[in-house]
Amino acid sequence: AQSVTQPDIHITVSEGASLELRCNYSYGATPYLFWYVQSPGQGLQLLLKYFSGDTLVQGIKGFEAEFKRSQSSFNLRKPSVHWSDAAEYFCAVGGTNNNDMRFGAGTRLTVKP
Amino acid sequence: EAGVAQSPRYKIIEKRQSVAFWCNPISGHATLYWYQQILGQGPKLLIQFQNNGVVDDSQLPKDRFSAERLKGVDSTLKIQPAKLEDSAVYLCASSSPGGGTRGELFFGEGSRLTVL
């Protein structure tokens, strides 16, 4: 069965520092991979997605993620974090036709001034 | 373009009472999802509709939860009777299979349920 693991429950970084959020997945076929962000009291918003092709994908708000098939990973990165990036981040895996979408438990990001 | 609409935003009920949540997806989106998000956890899929047919309801507790999408547009999720562990945010999402948004789920703001 498909699953997503986000090893870090909570990460704190200083404003301006770089960020990497980890995501490992298990999926029986070629996965579609996603990163979503959730601000308090809000729904989830898509940051970026990977279907095929270039393994480094760019998203909104300066985020990027790299798909590594050999490691079953899809880590999210940002070179310089802003205070407004404080939120909960969810990695998700799904199949074609939007089925089998499963989310990780999330990583809460705190940004220090 | 209007987003996914959900109501009510907040609901407080006693255990064993019933509650219903409503969702109106983005116009033209054939696929609709209901997720349950318990505090501190990621969203868990409860049910997925394709038009008015159920694609996946394997994680829906069918003894107390029900959902329908009769005309293939808006949807209702019902819980009866509610238990304490049903306290969560219920997220509705919709998606379109083609075009630039392929694979992307568009989420509503959620309905927060507190069961006392």
Side-chain angles (χ1 to χ4, degrees):
Chain A
Q2 63 275 19
S3 66
V4 179
T5 302
Q6 294 182 247
D8 305 305
I9 296 173
H10 184 205
I11 285 181
T12 299
V13 299
S14 298
E15 191 169 17
S18 63
L19 171 70
E20 183 169 25
L21 302 182
R22 296 183 290 164
C23 172
N24 293 96
Y25 69 90
S26 173
Y27 197 76
T30 300
Y32 287 0
L33 295 161
F34 308 83
W35 276 99
Y36 283 84
V37 61
Q38 185 179 36
S39 298
Q42 302 296 313
L44 282 73
Q45 179 187 22
L46 181 71
L47 285 176
L48 47 78
K49 60 186 177 184
Y50 172 79
F51 289 165
S52 64
D54 192 347
T55 56
L56 184 64
V57 293
Q58 302 296 322
I60 62 171
K61 304 184 181 184
F63 285 92
E64 66 178 27
E66 185 171 13
F67 170 57
K68 293 185 177 180
R69 185 185 299 275
S70 61
Q71 299 177 19
S72 296
S73 70
F74 189 57
N75 294 349
L76 182 71
R77 300 194 294 250
K78 186 169 185 178
S80 177
V81 170
H82 188 262
W83 63 267
S84 61
D85 293 325
E88 189 91 19
Y89 291 81
F90 294 95
C91 182
V93 62
T96 56
N97 302 319
N98 300 324
N99 63 335
D100 296 334
M101 183 75 77
R102 297 291 186 264
F103 286 82
T107 298
R108 182 161 63 93
L109 174 65
T110 297
V111 181
K112 293 190 302 184
Chain B
E1 178 182 76
V4 176
Q6 290 189 246
S7 66
R9 286 295 310 276
Y10 305 93
K11 189 74 175 179
I12 300 174
I13 61 173
E14 302 275 338
K15 59 183 179 182
R16 290 186 292 273
Q17 287 186 324
S18 63
V19 63
F21 302 111
W22 174 82
C23 172
N24 194 30
I26 291 174
S27 178
H29 280 193
T31 310
L32 184 147
Y33 313 76
W34 283 103
Y35 282 87
Q36 179 192 57
Q37 187 177 22
I38 293 173
L39 186 64
Q41 299 182 19
K44 183 184 85 170
L45 180 68
L46 292 175
I47 189 167
Q48 177 181 343
F49 291 96
Q50 181 74 20
N51 298 307
N52 61 350
V54 175
V55 174
D56 182 356
D57 64 355
S58 57
Q59 299 188 90
L60 187 74
K62 298 180 184 65
D63 57 334
R64 297 182 301 105
F65 285 66
S66 65
E68 60 183 15
R69 193 185 185 199
L70 294 176
K71 296 182 180 179
V73 180
D74 58 344
S75 175
T76 302
L77 175 71
K78 296 179 181 177
I79 307 174
Q80 182 180 11
K83 293 185 175 181
L84 296 177
E85 59 260 36
D86 297 333
S87 294
V89 176
Y90 291 86
L91 294 166
C92 180
S94 68
S95 68
S96 178
T101 61
R102 180 168 62 103
E104 178 177 355
L105 269 59
F106 293 83
F107 284 85
E109 293 184 319
S111 295
R112 181 179 297 276
L113 173 65
T114 301
V115 182
L116 303 176

